[in-house]
Amino acid sequence: MVLGSTGIQGNSMIKRPIALKTLNQYQILNAIRIAGAISRTEISGIIGHSRATVSNITAKMIASDLIYEKKAEGSSARGRNRVMLAINPNAAYVVGVKVSAFRVGCVVCNILAEVKSSVVMPVRTSERPVQFVADLIEEAIRHCVKEAGLSLKQISGIGIGIPGHVDNREGVSYWSPLFSRDTASLRELIRKRFRIETYVDNDTNTVTLTQLWVGKGKGINNFIVVTIEDGLGMGVVIDGELYRGSSGFAGELGHFVVSRGGRPCRCGKRGCFEAYISNFGIVNGARERCLRGDWQHDPADILSYEEVLKGAEEGVAPLVETFAQAGQYLGQAIAGLAQLFNPSKVIVTGNGVRAGKLMFTPMQEAIAENTAPDILAATEVVVHQWKDTDWSLGAACLVLEEFYKSPFDRCVAAEKMQEALGKEGAK
Ligand SMILES: [Zn+2]
């Protein structure tokens, strides 16, 4: 099955009223996915629709090879096997790509978000034209699809995560540390090259989807993901759906100013959370202390995050203090988020979690100090060990999110896309 362009161009990712039929399909597929295997009666209990409605929709799903019937394990002792429904893992495959300043990561996964192949290309993408980035993405996708033993015709959609302000309806980046806004839409460039439906979103939104689909947010309706890397990002899930805001820019925690006239930030402002908590912020903080003469590093302007972390782990006081300050700001930020959104869980992830206790002990102290007790008791804060594939897998989940909403429409659109492919010839 391949996602087609019919009816899902342009505003496909914007939050919009969902038709009842579509909502029912989505709820049923999601219930099966979260349970692994589940009976029709159990689905009916979860989504609140009659068993007849569930039977009607699941019959179509079985006919389309989206799901299949299987006998419940261990139920034969009662003389009658319960029939369970499970998702056919080979019903669809999707591609996820994460573009960051110094690498392009790509995964191919199946409809259950199980990774079939992955690749990371260490290459500088920052300050390069969007066409150059599209070339890299194309190469990564072709390699990864081949590695998975698949052909491009078997790919249902492509998801791409990039840092910065992304309008996911148009696939345009308004501001990104990678490239300035370009007349060419990254989404359209990739879509035309492969003739496969393509989605682009902010990278923290995609990593939040990873948590929602296969991570610590699976089955949880209200949670927040905070990512610490070169930037500081945030994704919010409200009532089981990723919240994007009116323009798709929601979750800009990183550029929330906390210290007027404070440390310079990459966005051009001063005193943003990101300027203290992100890996860049940590390095800049260490550099400031070095220039002030608090510790020695030669030369002061060439300093890596790894060096700063190693120094702090060895107990160099100014570096320990730099991480502690970052942790305190992070705790303040999380306390504010807990009080604003009342999530049941806050997941802190990204490669910045390597800082460990240096950052997270002060973070816990600041959370306890700044959060109302009843809200504190209702919020679990977890630090999730980062995996390299988490980002690109999230971009793949961006496609799966759309697929689950209307799988049958996608099948019809796929046939049209295949027809178009036949006439025009795939690249
Ligand atoms: Zn900023």
Side-chain angles (χ1 to χ4, degrees), residues 234-256:
M234 176 178 104
V236 187
V237 170
I238 297 174
D239 293 337
E241 294 255 355
L242 183 63
Y243 177 76
R244 291 187 169 92
S246 60
S247 315
F249 304 158
E252 276 297 332
L253 176 68
H255 303 289
F256 193 105

Side-chain angles (χ1 to χ4, degrees), residues 343-361:
S344 54
K345 200 178 258 189
V346 177
I347 302 162
V348 182
T349 189
N351 65 21
V353 304
R354 288 176 293 170
K357 286 181 183 170
L358 285 164
M359 193 187 283
F360 299 117
T361 302

Side-chain angles (χ1 to χ4, degrees), residues 264-283:
C265 182
R266 290 191 299 169
C267 70
K269 295 187 293 185
R270 282 180 168 268
C272 300
F273 270 128
E274 181 170 300
Y276 296 94
I277 302 168
S278 70
N279 298 355
F280 264 124
I282 296 281
V283 171

Side-chain angles (χ1 to χ4, degrees), residues 323-328 331 356-367:
F323 277 101
Q325 184 190 38
Q328 282 157 10
K357 286 181 183 170
L358 285 164
M359 193 187 283
F360 299 117
T361 302
M363 174 195 80
Q364 293 289 6
E365 288 166 2
I367 292 171

